[in-house]
Amino acid sequence: METVSKARSHGGIQGVYRHEAETTRCPMTFAVYLPPQAETEKVPVLWYLSGLTCTHANVMDKGEYRRAAARHGIAIVAPDTSPRGPEVPDEPDNWQFGCGAGFYVDATQAPYDRNYRMWSYVTEELPALVAREFPVDMERQGIFGHSMGGHGALTIALRHPDRFRSCSAFAPIVQPSTAGWSKPALAKYLGEDEAAWRRHDATALIEDGHRFPEFLVDQGTADSFLDDGLRPWLLEEACQKAGIGLTLTMREGYDHSYFFISTFMDDHIAWAAERMRK
């Protein structure tokens, strides 16, 4: 593991790191914020999954999470959204697919199946590396994300309910198998058999019996992707039928940007901290 940069922030350390990933077969970069408490003890870890077109840097530079993370004594890990590099197949003119749009799935279709294995990367390889290299308590984990990353957080939590104590999301894609801006990507990564997509669709997972105790979701009412891509009411309906707790707050006038995310970041970190203390 290579250290790209380190900086002191709110008494802790914001670091950026790079390593050769076996799952994605390319170098992967990720960010880790260690709060000051990590100097003397292992701390809970909260995973943040970013959205379309993003890298680890978007939330690190604009998410404004370090003050709250330091106050609650929580490490924040922000992976990249997809494999990158000259050998990685891409559609440079399509922001909804390829580099920056890995959708946190393990692709099964050539040529994407060689590199686009973000599910295995964020659920297996990177957690093992973080547990080995940083003072984190892997018995106290939470996960959250934005947009495509909110989709990833919901599906990972539903399929690993014993691993995570909290899950929340900013403007998540709750039903990517039918959303206009995610359905084409799932077809390219996973093939045309839509039954295979259900393992990466939060509402379908709930319909199929997967459970998680409760979710926190914030959604802006001025989000231009609300009606076509996000549709939080579908998650609300699925959770109501399954008896899953859902705190869904529609934030009047907020859009899809990091101005929205940073405004409510403290709420999500406090939500995770409360559940990781239990």
Side-chain angles (χ1 to χ4, degrees), residues 73-117:
I74 294 176
I76 308 287
V77 181
D80 201 347
T81 53
S82 63
R84 301 178 192 272
E87 304 301 320
V88 176
D90 189 19
E91 292 185 6
D93 297 327
N94 183 1
W95 64 275
Q96 297 172 333
F97 185 75
C99 292
F103 277 93
Y104 304 102
V105 304
D106 280 353
T108 58
Q109 305 300 300
Y112 309 108
D113 55 342
R114 174 178 171 82
N115 303 105
Y116 287 85
R117 299 184 53 80

Side-chain angles (χ1 to χ4, degrees), residues 188-211:
K188 292 178 184 179
Y189 287 136
L190 302 176
E192 296 293 339
D193 181 7
E194 296 186 14
W197 305 359
R198 297 184 68 84
R199 289 167 56 82
H200 296 285
D201 183 307
T203 61
L205 285 168
I206 293 171
E207 289 174 3
D208 293 344
H210 291 265
R211 296 292 182 265

